[in-house]
Structure formats: C-alpha cells, structure tokens
Amino acid sequence: MTEMTDDKSTRAELGAFLKARRAELTPAAVDLADDGTPRRVPGLRREEVASLASISVDYYSRIEQGRLQVSATVLGTLARALRLDAGQQAYLYGLAGKPAARRIRRGPQRVRPSMYRLLDQLGRSPAMVLGRYNDILAWNAAATALYLDFAQLSPAERNYTRLLFLDPGMRSLHVEWEAAARLSAAALRLETAGNPDDARLATLVGELSLRSPEFRQWWAGRIVSSASYGTKHFRHPLAGPLTLECDTWAGPDDPDKRLMVLTAEPDSPSDEALRILTSWSAEDTPTGSPP
C-alpha cells in the first residue's frame, strides 16, 4: 500500500515539474506562432506542449495530473519540447524511476587522505569538498578565511545551502546572493529525483522551507540545475570586493562528492586581496573535516 502511495506521489511531482517548466516558456521560445488569444496562465498551453511532443492532449493532461506512468520515449520527446537542459532531464528521468536515474545511497561519506593534501596544496585558493545534500565534508584554510570557520559549526549546520539561506554573514558575503542561493537550491532539488524518501534530505528541505521564505518560494518552482562552474562576486568585510571563478569536479571515488575550488585571475585585484586575506588567517589553521 505504501509503495502505491509513493508511486502516486512521484507521478504527481513529475506532473507538477512539467507544469512548472511549460509555465516558463513562451510560444516564441519554442518556435510557435501566438494566435493572440488571451492566456489564463503564463506559459505554454497543454495543447501546445502536446503538439510539440507529438502526443494527444488527453495523454499529456493525464501525465500532468499524475495519472499514468511515462515511458522513456515520451520523456525524451517532452524534454525536447520543453527545452530541458541536462540537469532538468536528469531530474525528470529520476522522477520517472528510469534505469540509471535512481542512485543507491551508501553509508557515511569519507574524504580520502590525498584529498586533504590537495586542499592544503591549493594554497590561497579557497576550496572545499561537498557531499550529498551539499554538506561540507572538508575545506582548507583559505575557505575558512573567505567564508567562516566551519569547524565551529555542528555537522548538521555544516551545509552549503543551509548557510546560504540562514546565515546572515554568508548572505551578505555574496554580492549576487539571490543567484547563488537559487543555484544551490536547484542543485539540492536535483538530488530529490533519485532519492524521494531520503530522511536527511527531507529534514533539511523542511527546515529551510520553514525558516526561509525565499527557499520556500523557489523550491515550489521546482528549478533544477547541475551547473559546475561560474563566476562568484563577494563583498568581504576585511578584503573588500572579490571576483572569483568557481569550478567543481566530481570525486573519482564517489560521484556524490564534489571538489569546489575558487580562483582569482593572476595579478588581479582579487588575487592580491586573496593573498592578503589568507595571510591574515592563522598559518597553522588545519584543513578541516567533521570529527
């Protein structure tokens, strides 16, 4: 009985995700002519999505209503019709429970000694290892100097998304906080596709939904993302403005672990600011990890 309820809930989430995506599109965005008829809600109509996917309107309506299972073939046509990017497609297939989309959760994540050495050797480039749910598993002294002393936080608080939404210092540090927070929430949403019943994830999402109106609003929008690089702008209380390139790489031993590194253009003002900032931090600050 529980399994049937879970399947129904997952189908409903898949339908809500499709509805949210079509609400973001205009006819022009998918090369459709607009007949000028007033639209009751923003975005594409169900009829237009069905036409683009070459399926009947009734069939598409039942998908959005969570009334049927969807084949991989139909998922592919819907992904193309709605212009889904790679992250959104992964989320869609994960909701549908297709092969290789669901990930089996393992035990506690460990950071290998070689990764600690790498963090230390990155010098004044802030770096950290992120795990499932965007938990911060390890970091170097430069990350502590830029962000905060993660070692002073409890394991439950040591979460990148949680800090972005709930820590005032982390919020004021990011010049483009909304963009950074949206992206972090979207990455967290991507995890729910293959792990809809994960208790740890449910607890984190529940706390953020209760305590942050922005997170609650953006989570309801069902935005997903797998972005792995970009530019971050900071306003540090000691070092001043910083423009850093952010790159992430999947761990070689665990795809659910990612190395995030922030770097500055050589000889730029941001590079000099990082040099000064890290020189102010204690030289003996150890690379950190949970006990």
Side-chain angles (χ1 to χ4, degrees):
M1 188 69 178
T2 302
E3 183 178 350
M4 292 177 63
T5 302
D6 291 343
D7 288 344
K8 184 177 180 180
S9 175
T10 301
R11 291 198 304 269
E13 174 60 24
L14 188 149
F17 176 69
L18 292 174
K19 184 177 181 180
R21 297 288 71 75
R22 72 176 172 88
E24 296 176 336
L25 295 172
T26 63
V30 293
D31 301 321
L32 285 179
D34 193 342
D35 59 11
T37 305
R39 295 173 183 265
R40 292 182 298 173
V41 294
L44 298 178
R45 300 186 178 101
R46 285 178 175 174
E47 294 85 349
E48 292 167 330
V49 176
S51 176
L52 289 168
S54 300
I55 57 179
S56 71
V57 178
D58 178 65
Y59 188 75
Y60 178 73
S61 297
R62 284 186 288 154
I63 294 174
E64 273 202 4
Q65 293 163 1
R67 292 166 54 194
L68 49 77
Q69 296 284 355
V70 189
S71 69
T73 301
V74 173
L75 287 175
T77 60
L78 289 174
R80 289 189 293 272
L82 294 171
R83 306 296 198 266
L84 303 186
D85 62 26
Q88 292 169 334
Q89 290 183 47
Y91 183 67
L92 182 67
Y93 279 86
L95 287 175
K98 298 306 175 185
R102 286 190 181 275
R103 292 174 292 174
I104 299 174
R105 286 303 190 195
R106 297 183 289 275
Q109 291 178 295
R110 309 294 183 188
V111 178
R112 294 159 52 230
S114 60
M115 185 60 74
Y116 287 119
R117 291 195 296 271
L118 176 59
L119 288 172
D120 282 334
Q121 291 169 8
L122 284 170
R124 64 172 180 259
S125 293
M128 62 181 72
V129 178
L130 299 176
R132 303 168 193 145
Y133 334 107
N134 291 331
D135 282 342
I136 301 170
L137 304 179
W139 57 91
N140 63 5
T144 296
L146 176 63
Y147 290 108
L148 51 89
D149 188 356
F150 300 113
Q152 299 300 313
L153 304 177
S154 69
E157 295 172 318
R158 205 179 291 131
N159 177 275
Y160 194 77
T161 304
R162 186 183 186 280
L163 289 169
L164 268 177
F165 280 94
L166 302 184
D167 184 87
M170 190 76 138
R171 183 167 183 150
S172 62
L173 176 66
H174 289 76
V175 174
E176 298 171 339
W177 174 83
E178 181 174 332
R182 277 179 176 269
L183 184 62
S184 189
L188 191 64
R189 164 67 79 172
L190 188 58
E191 291 215 32
T192 66
N195 309 280
D197 303 318
D198 191 295
R200 166 76 174 88
L201 192 57
T203 299
L204 176 61
V205 170
E207 180 190 17
L208 291 173
S209 297
L210 286 173
R211 298 182 59 183
S212 170
E214 295 98 339
F215 180 88
R216 187 165 57 248
Q217 176 187 351
W218 298 336
W219 191 259
R222 294 175 169 81
I223 304 299
V224 298
S225 175
S226 58
S228 58
Y229 64 91
T231 303
K232 291 183 180 292
H233 301 278
F234 299 96
R235 187 188 302 107
H236 196 276
L238 297 177
L242 292 161
T243 298
L244 305 177
E245 296 299 321
C246 178
D247 294 275
T248 60
W249 293 270
D253 60 327
D254 181 354
D256 285 336
K257 284 203 304 250
R258 289 157 291 134
L259 172 65
M260 184 178 85
V261 182
L262 298 166
T263 57
E265 184 73 24
D267 301 322
S268 66
S270 293
D271 188 38
E272 177 64 13
L274 266 186
R275 185 189 65 78
I276 296 173
L277 180 62
T278 52
S279 69
W280 285 339
S281 63
E283 293 184 2
D284 296 329
T285 301
T287 300
S289 70

